PDB file of all heavy atoms in Angstrom:
ATOM      1  N   GLU A  22       5.699  -9.992  -2.199  1.00  0.00           N
ATOM      2  CA  GLU A  22       5.902  -8.835  -1.339  1.00  0.00           C
ATOM      3  C   GLU A  22       4.571  -8.178  -0.996  1.00  0.00           C
ATOM      4  O   GLU A  22       3.610  -8.260  -1.753  1.00  0.00           O
ATOM      5  CB  GLU A  22       6.804  -7.808  -2.032  1.00  0.00           C
ATOM      6  CG  GLU A  22       8.187  -8.324  -2.332  1.00  0.00           C
ATOM      7  CD  GLU A  22       9.018  -7.314  -3.081  1.00  0.00           C
ATOM      8  OE1 GLU A  22       8.865  -6.102  -2.825  1.00  0.00           O
ATOM      9  OE2 GLU A  22       9.806  -7.739  -3.928  1.00  0.00           O
ATOM     10  N   ARG A  23       4.537  -7.515   0.154  1.00  0.00           N
ATOM     11  CA  ARG A  23       3.351  -6.799   0.598  1.00  0.00           C
ATOM     12  C   ARG A  23       3.761  -5.405   1.050  1.00  0.00           C
ATOM     13  O   ARG A  23       4.755  -5.238   1.751  1.00  0.00           O
ATOM     14  CB  ARG A  23       2.682  -7.503   1.790  1.00  0.00           C
ATOM     15  CG  ARG A  23       2.406  -8.971   1.607  1.00  0.00           C
ATOM     16  CD  ARG A  23       1.210  -9.192   0.686  1.00  0.00           C
ATOM     17  NE  ARG A  23       0.836 -10.588   0.614  1.00  0.00           N
ATOM     18  CZ  ARG A  23       1.243 -11.421  -0.327  1.00  0.00           C
ATOM     19  NH1 ARG A  23       2.076 -11.027  -1.240  1.00  0.00           N
ATOM     20  NH2 ARG A  23       0.828 -12.677  -0.350  1.00  0.00           N
ATOM     21  N   TYR A  24       2.986  -4.413   0.628  1.00  0.00           N
ATOM     22  CA  TYR A  24       3.198  -3.043   1.070  1.00  0.00           C
ATOM     23  C   TYR A  24       1.870  -2.533   1.611  1.00  0.00           C
ATOM     24  O   TYR A  24       0.806  -2.983   1.194  1.00  0.00           O
ATOM     25  CB  TYR A  24       3.679  -2.164  -0.086  1.00  0.00           C
ATOM     26  CG  TYR A  24       4.974  -2.662  -0.675  1.00  0.00           C
ATOM     27  CD1 TYR A  24       4.985  -3.366  -1.864  1.00  0.00           C
ATOM     28  CD2 TYR A  24       6.170  -2.457  -0.010  1.00  0.00           C
ATOM     29  CE1 TYR A  24       6.175  -3.850  -2.385  1.00  0.00           C
ATOM     30  CE2 TYR A  24       7.361  -2.937  -0.523  1.00  0.00           C
ATOM     31  CZ  TYR A  24       7.358  -3.635  -1.710  1.00  0.00           C
ATOM     32  OH  TYR A  24       8.529  -4.121  -2.219  1.00  0.00           O
ATOM     33  N   TYR A  25       1.927  -1.586   2.510  1.00  0.00           N
ATOM     34  CA  TYR A  25       0.724  -1.108   3.175  1.00  0.00           C
ATOM     35  C   TYR A  25       0.596   0.394   2.998  1.00  0.00           C
ATOM     36  O   TYR A  25       1.536   1.144   3.285  1.00  0.00           O
ATOM     37  CB  TYR A  25       0.772  -1.483   4.656  1.00  0.00           C
ATOM     38  CG  TYR A  25       0.844  -2.980   4.821  1.00  0.00           C
ATOM     39  CD1 TYR A  25       2.047  -3.657   4.741  1.00  0.00           C
ATOM     40  CD2 TYR A  25      -0.314  -3.730   4.990  1.00  0.00           C
ATOM     41  CE1 TYR A  25       2.116  -5.032   4.848  1.00  0.00           C
ATOM     42  CE2 TYR A  25      -0.258  -5.107   5.098  1.00  0.00           C
ATOM     43  CZ  TYR A  25       0.962  -5.747   5.025  1.00  0.00           C
ATOM     44  OH  TYR A  25       1.010  -7.123   5.109  1.00  0.00           O
ATOM     45  N   LEU A  26      -0.551   0.818   2.510  1.00  0.00           N
ATOM     46  CA  LEU A  26      -0.867   2.235   2.317  1.00  0.00           C
ATOM     47  C   LEU A  26      -1.914   2.610   3.348  1.00  0.00           C
ATOM     48  O   LEU A  26      -2.914   1.911   3.509  1.00  0.00           O
ATOM     49  CB  LEU A  26      -1.415   2.452   0.905  1.00  0.00           C
ATOM     50  CG  LEU A  26      -2.036   3.813   0.590  1.00  0.00           C
ATOM     51  CD1 LEU A  26      -1.018   4.932   0.727  1.00  0.00           C
ATOM     52  CD2 LEU A  26      -2.642   3.792  -0.813  1.00  0.00           C
ATOM     53  N   THR A  27      -1.665   3.720   4.049  1.00  0.00           N
ATOM     54  CA  THR A  27      -2.637   4.170   5.047  1.00  0.00           C
ATOM     55  C   THR A  27      -3.456   5.322   4.471  1.00  0.00           C
ATOM     56  O   THR A  27      -3.074   5.931   3.483  1.00  0.00           O
ATOM     57  CB  THR A  27      -1.933   4.639   6.333  1.00  0.00           C
ATOM     58  OG1 THR A  27      -1.092   5.749   6.026  1.00  0.00           O
ATOM     59  CG2 THR A  27      -1.134   3.510   6.966  1.00  0.00           C
ATOM     60  N   ASN A  28      -4.565   5.611   5.116  1.00  0.00           N
ATOM     61  CA  ASN A  28      -5.430   6.683   4.632  1.00  0.00           C
ATOM     62  C   ASN A  28      -4.802   8.064   4.804  1.00  0.00           C
ATOM     63  O   ASN A  28      -5.345   9.046   4.338  1.00  0.00           O
ATOM     64  CB  ASN A  28      -6.815   6.613   5.283  1.00  0.00           C
ATOM     65  CG  ASN A  28      -6.777   6.768   6.782  1.00  0.00           C
ATOM     66  OD1 ASN A  28      -5.713   6.758   7.406  1.00  0.00           O
ATOM     67  ND2 ASN A  28      -7.934   6.879   7.373  1.00  0.00           N
ATOM     68  N   ASP A  29      -3.651   8.151   5.454  1.00  0.00           N
ATOM     69  CA  ASP A  29      -2.929   9.430   5.514  1.00  0.00           C
ATOM     70  C   ASP A  29      -1.772   9.469   4.498  1.00  0.00           C
ATOM     71  O   ASP A  29      -0.821  10.219   4.648  1.00  0.00           O
ATOM     72  CB  ASP A  29      -2.444   9.730   6.929  1.00  0.00           C
ATOM     73  CG  ASP A  29      -1.493   8.685   7.478  1.00  0.00           C
ATOM     74  OD1 ASP A  29      -1.281   7.651   6.810  1.00  0.00           O
ATOM     75  OD2 ASP A  29      -0.953   8.902   8.570  1.00  0.00           O
ATOM     76  N   LYS A  30      -1.873   8.607   3.457  1.00  0.00           N
ATOM     77  CA  LYS A  30      -0.974   8.598   2.295  1.00  0.00           C
ATOM     78  C   LYS A  30       0.452   8.164   2.605  1.00  0.00           C
ATOM     79  O   LYS A  30       1.390   8.552   1.932  1.00  0.00           O
ATOM     80  CB  LYS A  30      -0.961   9.957   1.603  1.00  0.00           C
ATOM     81  CG  LYS A  30      -2.317  10.398   1.135  1.00  0.00           C
ATOM     82  CD  LYS A  30      -2.269  11.737   0.463  1.00  0.00           C
ATOM     83  CE  LYS A  30      -3.678  12.148   0.074  1.00  0.00           C
ATOM     84  NZ  LYS A  30      -3.739  13.317  -0.734  1.00  0.00           N
ATOM     85  N   LYS A  31       0.648   7.335   3.612  1.00  0.00           N
ATOM     86  CA  LYS A  31       1.971   6.826   3.942  1.00  0.00           C
ATOM     87  C   LYS A  31       2.042   5.340   3.575  1.00  0.00           C
ATOM     88  O   LYS A  31       1.063   4.619   3.709  1.00  0.00           O
ATOM     89  CB  LYS A  31       2.273   7.021   5.420  1.00  0.00           C
ATOM     90  CG  LYS A  31       2.375   8.482   5.797  1.00  0.00           C
ATOM     91  CD  LYS A  31       2.732   8.659   7.235  1.00  0.00           C
ATOM     92  CE  LYS A  31       2.822  10.139   7.579  1.00  0.00           C
ATOM     93  NZ  LYS A  31       3.132  10.352   8.986  1.00  0.00           N
ATOM     94  N   PHE A  32       3.223   4.922   3.112  1.00  0.00           N
ATOM     95  CA  PHE A  32       3.445   3.522   2.761  1.00  0.00           C
ATOM     96  C   PHE A  32       4.367   2.891   3.793  1.00  0.00           C
ATOM     97  O   PHE A  32       5.330   3.522   4.244  1.00  0.00           O
ATOM     98  CB  PHE A  32       4.111   3.431   1.375  1.00  0.00           C
ATOM     99  CG  PHE A  32       3.173   3.691   0.239  1.00  0.00           C
ATOM    100  CD1 PHE A  32       2.962   4.978  -0.214  1.00  0.00           C
ATOM    101  CD2 PHE A  32       2.526   2.643  -0.391  1.00  0.00           C
ATOM    102  CE1 PHE A  32       2.105   5.232  -1.276  1.00  0.00           C
ATOM    103  CE2 PHE A  32       1.662   2.885  -1.452  1.00  0.00           C
ATOM    104  CZ  PHE A  32       1.454   4.174  -1.898  1.00  0.00           C
ATOM    105  N   TYR A  33       4.088   1.630   4.129  1.00  0.00           N
ATOM    106  CA  TYR A  33       4.878   0.896   5.107  1.00  0.00           C
ATOM    107  C   TYR A  33       5.253  -0.469   4.572  1.00  0.00           C
ATOM    108  O   TYR A  33       4.583  -1.007   3.691  1.00  0.00           O
ATOM    109  CB  TYR A  33       4.078   0.721   6.412  1.00  0.00           C
ATOM    110  CG  TYR A  33       3.849   2.004   7.155  1.00  0.00           C
ATOM    111  CD1 TYR A  33       2.749   2.795   6.866  1.00  0.00           C
ATOM    112  CD2 TYR A  33       4.734   2.431   8.124  1.00  0.00           C
ATOM    113  CE1 TYR A  33       2.536   3.996   7.535  1.00  0.00           C
ATOM    114  CE2 TYR A  33       4.540   3.633   8.796  1.00  0.00           C
ATOM    115  CZ  TYR A  33       3.429   4.401   8.503  1.00  0.00           C
ATOM    116  OH  TYR A  33       3.225   5.580   9.156  1.00  0.00           O
ATOM    117  N   ASP A  34       6.317  -1.048   5.152  1.00  0.00           N
ATOM    118  CA  ASP A  34       6.741  -2.383   4.768  1.00  0.00           C
ATOM    119  C   ASP A  34       5.968  -3.474   5.517  1.00  0.00           C
ATOM    120  O   ASP A  34       5.995  -4.633   5.124  1.00  0.00           O
ATOM    121  CB  ASP A  34       8.245  -2.559   4.987  1.00  0.00           C
ATOM    122  CG  ASP A  34       8.677  -2.357   6.428  1.00  0.00           C
ATOM    123  OD1 ASP A  34       7.846  -1.956   7.278  1.00  0.00           O
ATOM    124  OD2 ASP A  34       9.868  -2.579   6.710  1.00  0.00           O
ATOM    125  N   MET A  35       5.294  -3.113   6.580  1.00  0.00           N
ATOM    126  CA  MET A  35       4.424  -4.003   7.353  1.00  0.00           C
ATOM    127  C   MET A  35       3.194  -3.207   7.758  1.00  0.00           C
ATOM    128  O   MET A  35       3.218  -1.974   7.712  1.00  0.00           O
ATOM    129  CB  MET A  35       5.101  -4.488   8.642  1.00  0.00           C
ATOM    130  CG  MET A  35       6.309  -5.319   8.473  1.00  0.00           C
ATOM    131  SD  MET A  35       6.915  -5.772  10.123  1.00  0.00           S
ATOM    132  CE  MET A  35       8.356  -6.682   9.663  1.00  0.00           C
ATOM    133  N   HIS A  36       2.158  -3.895   8.188  1.00  0.00           N
ATOM    134  CA  HIS A  36       0.985  -3.176   8.677  1.00  0.00           C
ATOM    135  C   HIS A  36       1.445  -2.210   9.761  1.00  0.00           C
ATOM    136  O   HIS A  36       2.207  -2.588  10.651  1.00  0.00           O
ATOM    137  CB  HIS A  36      -0.055  -4.163   9.228  1.00  0.00           C
ATOM    138  CG  HIS A  36      -1.390  -3.537   9.451  1.00  0.00           C
ATOM    139  ND1 HIS A  36      -1.604  -2.604  10.439  1.00  0.00           N
ATOM    140  CD2 HIS A  36      -2.570  -3.684   8.814  1.00  0.00           C
ATOM    141  CE1 HIS A  36      -2.864  -2.215  10.402  1.00  0.00           C
ATOM    142  NE2 HIS A  36      -3.472  -2.852   9.423  1.00  0.00           N
ATOM    143  N   PRO A  37       1.015  -0.953   9.695  1.00  0.00           N
ATOM    144  CA  PRO A  37       1.538   0.067  10.622  1.00  0.00           C
ATOM    145  C   PRO A  37       1.262  -0.177  12.101  1.00  0.00           C
ATOM    146  O   PRO A  37       1.908   0.446  12.935  1.00  0.00           O
ATOM    147  CB  PRO A  37       0.886   1.361  10.145  1.00  0.00           C
ATOM    148  CG  PRO A  37      -0.195   0.964   9.224  1.00  0.00           C
ATOM    149  CD  PRO A  37       0.132  -0.393   8.706  1.00  0.00           C
ATOM    150  N   ILE A  38       0.363  -1.074  12.458  1.00  0.00           N
ATOM    151  CA  ILE A  38       0.177  -1.365  13.885  1.00  0.00           C
ATOM    152  C   ILE A  38       1.296  -2.254  14.416  1.00  0.00           C
ATOM    153  O   ILE A  38       1.471  -2.384  15.615  1.00  0.00           O
ATOM    154  CB  ILE A  38      -1.201  -2.001  14.192  1.00  0.00           C
ATOM    155  CG1 ILE A  38      -1.345  -3.357  13.527  1.00  0.00           C
ATOM    156  CG2 ILE A  38      -2.325  -1.071  13.828  1.00  0.00           C
ATOM    157  CD1 ILE A  38      -2.535  -4.158  14.017  1.00  0.00           C
TER     158      ILE A  38
END
Side-chain angles (χ1 to χ4, degrees):
E22 298 177 35
R23 309 285 186 265
Y24 301 102
Y25 299 84
L26 169 62
T27 62
N28 61 351
D29 60 354
K30 302 180 183 188
K31 294 183 180 178
F32 285 87
Y33 292 88
D34 60 353
M35 296 180 182
H36 193 291
I38 64 168

